Structure formats: structure tokens, C-alpha cells
Amino acid sequence: MAKKKKKKIEEVPVFKNSISTEEDLGETITGLKSELYEDIESVPSKKELKRLLRIADEAEDDDDKDEEIRSCFTNRELSWLLFNERVLNEAGNPRVPLAERLTFASIFQTNLDEFFMVRVGTLMVQMSSEENIRDNKTGMSCKKQVKAILKEVKRLEKKRAVIYDQLMGELEPKGIRLINFRKLSYEETGFLETYFDAHIAPFLTPMVLSKQQPFPFLENKQLYAVVSLGSRSSKNSLGIVPCSNSVFKRLIEIPTRPGNYMLSEELILHFVGKIFPHFEIKEKSIMRVTRNADIEGIEVYDEDMNYRDVMEQLIKKRTRLNPVRVEITRKLSKGLLKEIAKNMFIDTSHIIDVDTPLDLSYVSTLRKYLVDKQELFYNPRKPQDSAMVDTSKPIIPQALEKDILLSYPFESMKPFLQLLDEAATDKDVVSIKMTLYRVASQSKIVDTLIKAAENGKEVVVLLELRARFDEENNIDMSRLLEEAGCRILYGLEDYKVHSKLCLISRRIHNAESSVQYITQIGTGNYNEKTATLYTDLALVTANQKIGAEVASVFAHLLQSEVLDKTEELLVSPLCLQNKVLGMMDEQIKRAQKGKEAYIGVKVNSFTDKAILTKMIECSRAGVKVDLVVRGICCLIPGIPGLTENIRVVSIVGRYLEHSRIYIFGKGKGRKIYIASADFMTRNTTRRVEVAAPIHDRKLQNRILHMFDTMMNDDEKGKELTSEGVYVDRHINETPLNSQEVLFDEAYAAAKRAAAHKAKTNGVNK
């Protein structure tokens, strides 16, 4: 008897021309359950209806699961704002020295500026798109995200004002005071007026807007006095005075009160009536505009331009992009706000009242005034010599003998710089290949690469010109390197190259090979300055399998391709996310068999939905998960039945947490990697990133100790709760500051190594 042909869904009359697959049935079938098939030409058979209703039940279950999973996620932009609030909290932390708290207040502002320039700018561009772009974790539309951001930022500005007032109050007993006109005598006001007339007014270029003088272009992050001007002959006009000027000082000292200063923009605003003598001053405020700076979506095409020229054109375009925020220091009428918003082409909701100075860059000057008061600063710390390396001897033989792990800023970058310098002159070194993302403006590394090229070495440098806000410096460096004879690559068309790789190839002669690799793979940039400010890890290894894979990475980059197969390394965009998910699955299987299962991850940000979802699966299977996430974390831990086995800690301290560590498992089968990649979609699928395995057992134990120390940090470490808020922790009898502990250990290790070296030298003598 012939089998009865199973109907396809599109053959069922009620679904014809509307649904093509069973997966599309969710809402339609749910509707069938509650409706009585009104206006249906042909009702499905009883058997077919049962099948369709079963699919409906499964679809509803899937919807419930999706909603359940979604409850574990938070929006990345709002999570970032929580991170910046933790930075602001350090400005208000009485346990932090006063001068350092001033710096945290300034960092909060610069962070927020960049957030508006990049993230909010991108969201506003997407809002104008015809596509309905939504956050893939929370489902929030771009408009809803921007609205939520503005609401949260206005809350943070109020908090910042309170902390700023506290800081200014604590500065007064230290001999520094920012003053306003209400606290000045008649004579002091007269001095400032004379100073204004002689040293400031001649350099101002005020404008009164009219049909002949349209609204001017206001530069990004520059200060302006905005004034509503009244006159008898016409309606109110708008006056604008640029206040940012390198000619006059920002901090003006009151001669009768040493240590008392006034900001130049406040002086301009006070005497703005002298600038517009024929008008009545109705309203006035200092104003600052923040413009979109995300140039990645802008297209500049000219077949006669090389990529470096294209980037230079994009950088120029960045300065002209649309405003995303306007800050003001005084309350203004609704009419004036509407006029400003209209001229700036933004909604009035993007105009934010700020009760602090709009540019805190003068904080660095205040710190200089306090330099003789050491108690107001952190205790001096200096990167120590690594106990693993003897810098009085050549580094290359030491690297060939054993793997070396450097931990910045606790240990000095000097061993790597010395290794590179040796490679530049070693007669057996044939080539040096490096990826550069952000380098110091006066880079020793670039100088050494130039030296190597001049010594006849093949030097290949992939210099990523799209490193945001470092584009100009990288363009300058590319020219220097190119002029010295280095071969320069500018990255791939579709992927940024964010990996931190240095491959030294040496000529050897033995039965197995004619080439010997020494490889350095790091979590942070090749930047001598940030190596003293950021926590990062760097592995130096002569493991030839690792070296060969790094050589393959460079070979693919030279051909504008990405690596699609690896054994040792994790290399995005094709061989990182999938391998991470695979190792997570291994831990799930262990947990399901009743074995101990564990995942530990340290990253700067965690937004990759595939890995986030797998983390939830891990937790539900019983895998214990520890996450150290400095900034954005879109995963909410501690939700019963979902993320109850996950802990999330954020550390915001003296040094910027920047290292990335991946740990899978415990005991003998444990796998540990250090990486350049955060768990963000842009890192795991849209960039070239590299994670290196740590094979040496001693180095593994050292990294595990670092990770455990950070997980137990209850001085600077805050824990994310199931309510989505970060709270203080109380773990240790005496609060533990992981960065200070790791520095103390670096000092102790360097001291022991020096003592051992002295003892050995004494015996040898």
C-alpha cells in the first residue's frame, strides 16, 4: 500500500501564501487556538489540526524559552553607563587620594564624551535608517535605547555634581579653590574686569546670528558662551562667543588670593555684556557640543587614493559629523532651548543641564599645583624586573630555553623591548613580523623596527589605521616605517586586525627545520606608556607549533585572507568563537556526568550573544562560572534556574584592567589562554584576534593565582547581582585590593631574584 504523502504546510488552505515553514507558525497557530476559524474557506482536517496545534505548543514553548533567556540579558549601552558610574564612584571614594579622585572625575567625563561620540552617534544614525534595527539581546529599538541613555546620563550628571562639589570642598583646605563672582570683593572684580579687557576680550570672535550671519559650525567638545540678546529695534537675537582658546589661560589666579582660580569661560560669561554693548543680556550659559565621531560607516571612494589617503579623508569628515549632545551650565528658557536644538538639528531631550564645568581637562593643572603634597596621590609604584628573565644577559637564549610570561604594569616591558632590539641586530634573525594597533607617539618599538629594516632584516608590519582616535598617529607611524623600508599592511577590508603578535624568524640548520620561531603574543598594545597604566599579559615562547601558526596568520594577512583552521591558537573571525563554544560544551558534558566543571573568564566587555547564551546553558547544566568583566556585561548572574552558577565581578581601580584570560576546566585537563579578544561580537566574528594557549604548568598556576586574586578583590571589585546592580563585597577580614597585591608580589619576586643573582655571582667569583 502506498504511503500517504505528508502535506507541506503551504498546502493547508488556511496557511497558503502566508507561511512557508513550520518554524513560522508561532503567532498564527496561537491565533488559531483562540479563534473559531472565521472567514476560513477550508478548515484543516482533525488529524492535520492536531499536528498544527502540537507545533503551536512547541512554538509557544520556544517563545517561553526565548523570553526566559532574554530575562538574563541587559542592554549593552546601559551596562556601559553602569561601568562609567563605577568610575565616578572612585571620584567620590574617600579611600582614594584626593588628587587621584580628581583624575577619576576627569576620566568619567572623557569616557562619557567618547560614549556619545561613538555609541550614541551610531544609534542615532541607525534611527534614521529604514531598517528596524534592534538590540539583539533585549529587543530594544535604537530610539528606546537613546531615550534610556539620556535619562540615565541626566541621573549621572546630578550624581557627578554632588561629587564634584565634595572634591572642590576638600581642595580648599589644601590651598586650592575655584571661585565665582559671588565670593569676590569689589576690588577683585575690578581686577578681573581689567584682566578680561586686556588679555581675553581682544582674542574673542563674538557672533550675532541674523539672516546675514547664519548659525555657525560649533566644533566638537569646544566651549561657547551662548547668549539671548534683546534690543529695542527687533526681537531677541542669539549671540555666540567661542571660549576655547590656546592664547589665554584656562585657570586665572586671583592675585589677592593665592591658590584661588577662576575658569576663563566663567570670566567671559560674566562680562559678556561688554562683548555685546548694544544689547540687553536676557539669558546666558556656557555650552558644549558633542558630535558623532563614528567614521566606520562613512564611505569615501576614489580609485586613485590608497587606503591611507582614504583614512585621512575620513578623519577630516569626522569633525563635521552631526551633534549628538549639547551640554549647558545654566538653566535656559524653553524657547531658547528650542532655538538651539533647531539650529543644531537635534531634539531638546539631547540638551543636558550640567552643574559642573563642561571641560575638566584643567584637572591635570590642579594636580601639578598639588605635587608637593604626596599624601594626595597614590604611593609611587614602578614596574619591576621580571623574576623569569635576567636582563643583564641576552633574552633570545632565555626565550629558547623556556616560556616567559610578563604581567604589566607589575612587571616591566623591558624584556620584550630588549628581545626586539636583539632581533634587530642578531645575524641569524631573518625577519620580524608585527601587528600594531595603538603605539606610543614616540615609540621605541617603531624605532627598533626601523633599526631592524636598516640592518637588512625583512620587517613586515600590519598597522591598523582604523584604531579609533589613534588613526592620525598610526598614519604618521606608517610613513616612518615605510620610509625605512618596512613592508606595511593596513589591515583587511572587512576585518580590523586587533591581535597583538610579534613573530621573530631565525635561520638555523638542523635535521628537522631551517627556521626557528620566537613568538610574543599579548593581551595589550605594543605601547610603552600604556604598559605602565593597563594590566596586560604577554607570552614569549619558542614553541614551534605556536610559531608556525602565527606565521600562517601573517601569511594569510599578506594575502588579504583570514585563517580558517588552527590547532594551537584561537584566531577570529573563523577559529575563536566556535572553539570557545566547543570548550564550553566540553564543560557541560563533564557537569552532566557528575564531574567537576568550571569556566573562568576575564575580559573587558561581554556582549557576544552566542557565548552569553552558552554561558546560561553552562550554568543550567551545573558548570561553575566565574567572570571578571571590567566594563559592559550583558549577562545577569544569580537568576534561579538560569544563571545561579555564574558570578560576575568588575574591578575599577588605579590601573585599567585590560588583560583577557580564558580558563576551561580544572585539574590535569584544564585549558588556559591569554587573548587580545573580549567576548564581544565585534571581536569574535568581525576582527582578527588571537588567543594563545599557556602550556607551561608554572605559568598556568601563576595565571590561576592572578585570576583567583581578582575574584577575591573586595576593595575595588564590585559584584553584579541578579537585580542588575553592582554592590560592594565583604570577603576578607582586611579588604583585598588585587592590583596592590599583585604589585607587592612583583616587588617581592624581583627582590628574591636579585638576591639569588647576587648569591650566584658571588659563588661564581
Side-chain angles (χ1 to χ4, degrees):
M1 184 176 174
K3 272 189 177 181
K4 189 175 181 181
K5 184 181 177 184
K6 190 174 182 180
K7 283 188 177 183
K8 293 181 181 178
I9 284 193
E10 60 265 27
E11 293 173 350
V12 180
V14 69
F15 300 115
K16 194 171 183 179
N17 299 326
S18 62
I19 295 175
S20 58
T21 65
E22 291 186 352
E23 286 77 6
D24 292 333
L25 281 172
E27 290 185 14
T28 306
I29 293 293
T30 302
L32 282 178
K33 281 183 161 184
S34 58
E35 299 292 338
L36 295 176
Y37 299 98
E38 295 176 357
D39 302 320
I40 294 178
E41 294 178 2
S42 177
V43 178
S45 68
K46 186 176 181 181
K47 184 177 179 181
E48 186 68 12
L49 181 59
K50 283 183 178 180
R51 185 179 76 84
L52 295 173
L53 291 177
R54 186 181 70 252
I55 295 171
D57 288 333
E58 291 172 357
E60 284 187 339
D61 288 342
D62 288 341
D63 286 344
D64 290 341
K65 287 177 183 177
D66 289 344
E67 191 60 36
E68 195 175 42
I69 295 298
R70 184 173 286 184
S71 70
C72 300
F73 296 147
T74 189
N75 177 259
R76 64 167 285 172
E77 318 304 347
L78 300 181
S79 179
W80 184 90
L81 288 171
L82 287 178
F83 155 67
N84 208 30
E85 183 172 16
R86 296 194 292 281
V87 174
L88 181 60
N89 289 342
E90 287 298 286
N93 186 348
R95 296 190 299 276
V96 176
L98 181 57
E100 310 297 350
R101 290 167 62 191
L102 287 170
T103 300
F104 276 110
S106 179
I107 292 171
F108 169 84
Q109 182 185 64
T110 55
N111 281 351
L112 199 58
D113 286 346
E114 186 169 329
F115 175 72
F116 269 93
M117 291 162 65
V118 178
R119 294 304 309 166
V120 178
T122 299
L123 286 171
M124 291 182 69
V125 170
Q126 291 174 346
M127 280 170 58
S128 62
S129 168
E130 292 182 1
E131 296 180 61
N132 182 22
I133 301 172
R134 290 178 176 269
D135 174 18
N136 70 343
K137 288 171 280 293
T138 62
M140 293 175 70
S141 66
C142 296
K143 185 176 182 179
K144 190 173 181 179
Q145 289 180 76
V146 171
K147 184 177 179 180
I149 287 167
L150 293 172
K151 181 180 178 180
E152 185 68 359
V153 167
K154 289 170 184 178
R155 178 186 72 82
L156 290 176
E157 286 295 356
K158 291 179 181 178
K159 183 173 185 177
R160 174 164 69 143
V162 172
I163 290 173
Y164 180 82
D165 287 344
Q166 290 173 350
L167 290 172
M168 293 300 106
E170 291 180 45
L171 273 177
E172 289 192 22
K174 310 302 179 185
I176 291 181
R177 187 182 189 192
L178 260 63
I179 203 165
N180 57 45
F181 278 90
R182 292 192 300 273
K183 298 178 181 178
L184 293 180
S185 67
Y186 179 79
E187 290 77 12
E188 289 167 335
T189 301
F191 161 79
L192 287 175
E193 184 173 5
T194 301
Y195 184 92
F196 171 80
D197 291 339
H199 300 286
I200 294 182
F203 303 104
L204 299 178
T205 53
M207 295 163 276
V208 177
L209 306 190
S210 63
K211 291 180 180 179
Q212 291 75 33
Q213 176 61 59
F215 197 87
F217 177 82
L218 304 185
E219 293 185 28
N220 188 40
K221 298 193 297 182
Q222 300 303 303
L223 300 177
Y224 296 87
V226 57
V227 190
S228 176
L229 303 170
S231 67
R232 295 178 181 177
S233 58
S234 65
K235 64 177 184 178
N236 291 355
S237 302
L238 194 64
I240 293 179
V241 185
C243 297
S244 298
N245 197 316
S246 60
V247 177
F248 47 79
K249 295 187 294 184
R250 179 87 187 284
L251 287 171
I252 301 164
E253 189 170 21
I254 313 299
T256 55
R257 302 190 192 191
N260 282 242
Y261 301 90
M262 180 169 288
L263 293 169
S264 59
E265 65 265 25
E266 291 298 322
L267 191 62
I268 293 169
L269 193 66
H270 184 79
F271 291 114
V272 74
K274 302 190 74 170
I275 301 173
F276 301 105
H278 304 297
F279 296 89
E280 178 188 0
I281 307 300
K282 297 281 191 179
E283 300 178 70
K284 61 182 180 180
S285 178
I286 300 299
M287 181 172 72
R288 182 172 179 259
V289 178
T290 313
R291 293 183 177 275
N292 180 11
D294 188 5
I295 60 176
E296 291 187 18
I298 305 174
E299 293 185 5
V300 173
Y301 178 76
D302 186 330
E303 61 183 11
D304 295 326
M305 293 171 66
N306 65 30
Y307 188 62
R308 186 166 59 196
D309 294 334
V310 168
M311 285 305 301
E312 287 181 322
Q313 290 297 316
L314 287 176
I315 293 165
K316 290 177 183 177
K317 280 183 172 286
R318 170 187 282 161
T319 62
R320 308 292 298 186
L321 295 181
N322 292 334
V324 292
R325 173 183 63 165
V326 174
E327 299 167 281
I328 56 174
T329 60
R330 308 289 196 281
K331 294 284 185 183
L332 299 176
S333 66
K334 289 183 179 180
L336 185 52
L337 292 176
K338 285 181 179 179
E339 185 175 357
I340 293 171
K342 179 182 176 182
N343 283 291
M344 300 299 297
F345 302 102
I346 60 171
D347 190 82
T348 53
S349 62
H350 288 254
I351 301 178
I352 299 173
D353 292 328
V354 179
D355 292 328
T356 64
L358 301 183
D359 177 3
L360 294 182
S361 60
Y362 63 86
V363 159
S364 59
T365 305
L366 294 182
R367 283 174 59 96
K368 291 177 183 177
Y369 295 156
L370 297 167
V371 73
D372 61 331
K373 298 177 174 62
Q374 186 53 51
E375 72 278 7
L376 302 183
F377 295 82
Y378 287 128
N379 291 328
R381 288 287 203 181
K382 181 181 178 183
Q384 296 298 291
D385 290 335
S386 169
M388 296 194 71
V389 184
D390 184 350
T391 53
S392 67
K393 298 177 181 179
I395 303 295
I396 288 179
Q398 297 179 68
L400 293 173
E401 182 182 339
K402 64 180 180 181
D403 286 356
I404 298 166
L405 183 72
L406 301 177
S407 176
Y408 311 141
F410 317 109
E411 295 175 339
S412 171
M413 197 185 200
K414 186 165 59 175
F416 171 69
L417 297 175
Q418 186 174 327
L419 171 68
L420 198 62
D421 192 62
E422 288 175 22
T425 57
D426 187 328
K427 61 182 178 58
D428 292 324
V429 169
V430 177
S431 69
I432 301 173
K433 298 182 176 72
M434 285 190 77
T435 58
L436 297 181
Y437 194 75
R438 301 186 195 275
V439 296
S441 55
Q442 295 180 327
S443 173
K444 294 178 183 178
I445 290 169
V446 170
D447 290 344
T448 303
L449 292 173
I450 290 171
K451 176 181 174 181
E454 291 173 345
N455 286 340
K457 313 296 182 187
E458 179 192 28
V459 179
V460 178
V461 179
L462 193 149
L463 210 162
E464 182 54 76
L465 297 187
R466 292 168 293 185
R468 187 176 284 124
F469 303 125
D470 272 346
E471 298 97 342
E472 291 182 77
N473 185 52
N474 286 4
I475 287 170
D476 292 341
M477 292 300 170
S478 72
R479 288 199 173 98
L480 286 174
L481 289 163
E482 203 169 53
E483 289 169 5
C486 302
R487 182 173 178 182
I488 304 298
L489 308 176
Y490 298 128
L492 305 179
E493 183 177 354
D494 298 323
Y495 305 103
K496 276 188 182 181
V497 179
H498 188 251
S499 54
K500 323 300 180 187
L501 298 176
C502 176
L503 180 68
I504 298 168
S505 301
R506 302 179 77 237
R507 183 190 304 109
I508 59 170
H509 301 285
N510 60 38
E512 296 179 0
S513 176
S514 61
V515 65
Q516 183 181 64
Y517 297 118
I518 298 175
T519 311
Q520 190 270 352
I521 304 174
T523 69
N525 296 301
Y526 295 110
N527 187 315
E528 304 93 302
K529 182 177 180 181
T530 57
T532 66
L533 302 172
Y534 296 3
T535 71
D536 272 307
L537 295 169
L539 172 70
V540 178
T541 181
N543 182 304
Q544 296 307 292
K545 289 183 179 178
I546 290 177
E549 283 201 355
V550 171
S552 185
V553 171
F554 278 107
H556 279 74
L557 292 175
L558 283 163
Q559 296 177 43
S560 299
E561 296 176 348
V562 294
L563 203 61
D564 59 358
K565 184 179 180 181
T566 63
E567 296 294 332
E568 290 282 334
L569 305 174
L570 312 180
V571 183
S572 64
L574 301 180
C575 305
L576 191 148
Q577 186 196 64
N578 56 339
K579 287 179 176 286
V580 166
L581 293 172
M583 287 184 281
M584 294 171 75
D585 280 330
E586 290 173 3
Q587 295 306 306
I588 290 173
K589 290 176 183 177
R590 286 185 60 83
Q592 289 171 341
K593 292 177 181 178
K595 297 180 180 180
E596 186 178 31
Y598 177 78
I599 294 172
V601 172
K602 179 179 185 289
V603 287
N604 300 325
S605 297
F606 192 0
T607 67
D608 185 306
K609 189 177 181 182
I611 301 178
L612 286 166
T613 304
K614 185 65 71 173
M615 282 291 184
I616 298 170
E617 189 180 338
C618 286
S619 175
R620 299 181 85 165
V623 181
K624 297 296 181 184
V625 180
D626 288 334
L627 303 176
V628 180
V629 186
R630 183 196 76 212
I632 303 167
C633 183
C634 292
L635 185 64
I636 300 175
I639 299 176
L642 292 167
T643 59
E644 61 189 350
N645 287 310
I646 299 175
R647 290 190 300 166
V648 178
V649 173
S650 170
I651 298 171
V652 176
R654 176 175 181 175
Y655 304 100
L656 182 78
E657 290 292 339
H658 195 254
S659 57
R660 289 91 166 188
I661 300 169
Y662 312 157
I663 304 166
F664 301 97
K666 288 198 172 185
K668 190 175 180 181
R670 177 189 283 122
K671 298 175 183 177
I672 298 179
Y673 295 82
I674 64 169
S676 63
D678 290 315
F679 281 171
M680 304 180 77
T681 307
R682 71 178 189 188
N683 299 94
T684 57
T685 65
R686 298 175 194 157
R687 290 183 175 184
V688 177
E689 306 270 14
V690 173
I694 305 297
H695 293 310
D696 185 277
R697 185 64 64 180
K698 289 183 179 178
L699 299 190
Q700 282 193 357
N701 290 336
R702 187 177 169 202
I703 290 174
L704 290 172
H705 168 69
M706 292 177 188
F707 189 83
D708 289 343
T709 302
M710 289 182 279
M711 281 302 301
N712 285 303
D713 188 326
D714 54 358
E715 173 66 29
K716 299 300 181 184
K718 309 302 177 187
E719 188 159 353
L720 182 59
T721 71
S722 58
E723 287 75 37
V725 297
Y726 288 84
V727 298
D728 290 335
R729 319 162 74 214
H730 302 287
I731 301 172
N732 308 286
E733 191 173 324
T734 301
L736 185 151
N737 183 326
S738 59
Q739 293 180 353
E740 292 299 319
V741 168
L742 294 175
F743 237 128
D744 287 340
E745 291 175 352
Y747 272 90
K751 187 176 180 180
R752 287 194 302 271
H756 176 73
K757 181 179 176 182
K759 183 178 180 180
T760 304
N761 289 342
V763 170
N764 291 337
K765 286 180 181 178

